[in-house]
Amino acid sequence: METKANTILENRPELEKRVGEAAEVAGYLWQKGWAERNGGNITLNITDLVDAEIRAKPAISAPVPIGRVLPHLKGGYFFCKGTNLRMRDLARYPMENGSVIRVLDDCASYVIIADKPVRPTSEIASHLSIHNYLIGKGSNYKAVLHTHPTDLVAMTHNPAFLKKDVLSYLLWSMIPETRAFCPRGLGIVPYALPGSFELADATIEELAEYDVVMWEKHGVTSVSENIMEAFDMVDTLSKSAQIYLTAKSMGFEPQGMTVEQMDEMKIAFNLPK
Ligand code: 13P
Ligand code: ZN
């Protein structure tokens, strides 16, 4: 393990815990086979854990333009996975494979403040636009996860699965747990260039209705209060995808729970959709 001396995490147990959760999830992503090379990214809104000493920390990078104005991010602080860096490395050394940024008062640029000048993920347009959207609507969600689950991404190569809520119902119907723990279902964003604002905006549109969104032929993005919950929703959906694929590979179409059985769960567990 890296030593805690000279890191922003030193003597800040809450911050250490939150970044530690991101590192734990990064390890799961690698173990799951969802994080080839530098695949995937994590950002955490840590503004609530920032003290005066952190606020006074000098920048260790020049200001970097975000490319748009994000008014709700003024003075916000985010832990971000570094671009081109590996989840399996972030799992062990989070502050060498990720960094903390401060959004400047122009709401259109950021500086890196700790620990090292690690450039944030190439999907920063989506991540920061999503955080801006979440703060703007008064959400308590602080974690954004993007990852590349093989089974779910494979499903987006079938145009029939890209129609609204086809995948939500199919995956819900594989196992009651998915209906319960991913109760809003799965939104779909048509293919767009990785790292683009087009991808960011299409994702935000879907987040009005869903907490988990598929990026066609690329990956999945989820939002939640914390990174564990964001991971668990994707993990549950992937479990359903595995059951579907296993049944298909045994040579039959899985029957799935009936609409009545799923509606019964909606009532019994007071699910939102
Ligand atoms: P980064 O290494 O820049 O985070 O990119 C990984 C990725 O998944 C892009 O979509
Ligand atoms: Zn990706």
Side-chain angles (χ1 to χ4, degrees):
M1 279 302 282
E2 69 197 314
T3 131
K4 275 195 275 159
N6 302 319
T7 110
I8 196 173
L9 307 182
E10 191 181 9
N11 297 325
R12 293 193 178 91
E14 289 298 314
L15 187 58
E16 188 187 7
K17 180 164 174 278
R18 196 171 298 171
V19 171
E21 283 173 2
E24 188 178 331
V25 165
Y28 299 157
L29 299 176
W30 166 248
Q31 286 158 15
K32 286 270 178 195
W34 300 349
E36 71 292 343
R37 198 177 184 280
N38 60 309
N41 19 81
I42 290 172
T43 59
L44 305 174
N45 182 349
I46 57 164
T47 313
D48 61 318
L49 300 179
V50 161
D51 51 41
E53 202 180 313
I54 295 180
R55 278 183 207 290
K57 256 184 177 301
I60 57 169
S61 77
V64 182
I66 296 169
R68 60 166 41 163
V69 177
L70 297 170
H72 302 295
L73 299 192
K74 188 175 181 167
Y77 289 77
F78 300 88
F79 171 79
C80 307
K81 193 207 88 161
T83 186
N84 222 358
L85 298 178
R86 294 167 173 80
M87 286 292 181
R88 64 179 187 262
D89 292 336
L90 193 147
R92 290 173 302 153
Y93 307 117
M95 295 311 298
E96 294 187 8
N97 296 277
S99 58
V100 173
I101 64 167
R102 170 195 296 138
V103 177
L104 300 180
D105 284 353
D106 62 4
C107 305
S109 54
Y110 64 82
V111 289
I112 304 170
I113 60 142
D115 282 348
K116 301 194 168 143
V118 171
R119 270 198 309 136
T121 170
S122 59
E123 298 291 0
I124 198 78
S126 278
H127 282 262
L128 291 184
S129 300
I130 291 169
H131 285 294
N132 182 67
Y133 164 76
L134 293 170
I135 297 166
K137 71 169 193 174
S139 165
N140 62 349
Y141 284 12
K142 299 203 183 312
V144 179
L145 167 67
H146 164 65
T147 185
H148 301 166
T150 314
D151 39 24
L152 293 171
V153 175
M155 292 179 109
T156 70
H157 285 261
N158 177 0
F161 288 155
L162 300 179
K163 299 209 178 81
K164 187 172 169 59
D165 280 335
V166 169
L167 267 187
S168 297
Y169 280 97
L170 178 67
L171 296 173
W172 277 346
S173 80
M174 290 296 109
I175 181 172
E177 199 179 9
T178 305
R179 181 69 186 93
F181 295 118
C182 193
R184 292 182 201 280
L186 187 55
I188 305 284
V189 168
Y191 184 83
L193 184 70
S196 63
F197 284 110
E198 184 193 349
L199 182 57
D201 291 342
T203 305
I204 286 168
E205 232 170 84
E206 291 297 284
L207 290 178
E209 188 174 341
Y210 305 96
D211 286 340
V212 190
V213 174
M214 286 308 306
W215 288 353
E216 181 188 339
K217 299 175 187 133
H218 177 167
V220 60
T221 296
S222 66
V223 294
S224 195
E225 286 149 48
N226 58 63
I227 196 69
M228 285 296 165
E229 291 292 339
F231 169 78
D232 282 338
M233 286 187 291
V234 180
D235 192 26
T236 310
L237 287 161
S238 169
K239 173 68 136 194
S240 277
Q242 284 295 314
I243 293 166
Y244 176 79
L245 296 168
T246 305
K248 292 286 270 189
S249 68
M250 289 172 180
F252 65 90
E253 184 74 23
Q255 191 175 38
M257 292 158 61
T258 64
V259 173
E260 290 73 27
Q261 287 166 339
M262 288 192 277
D263 283 349
E264 182 188 37
M265 284 202 60
K266 177 179 160 160
I267 295 161
F269 295 100
N270 195 21
L271 301 174
K273 206 169 159 189

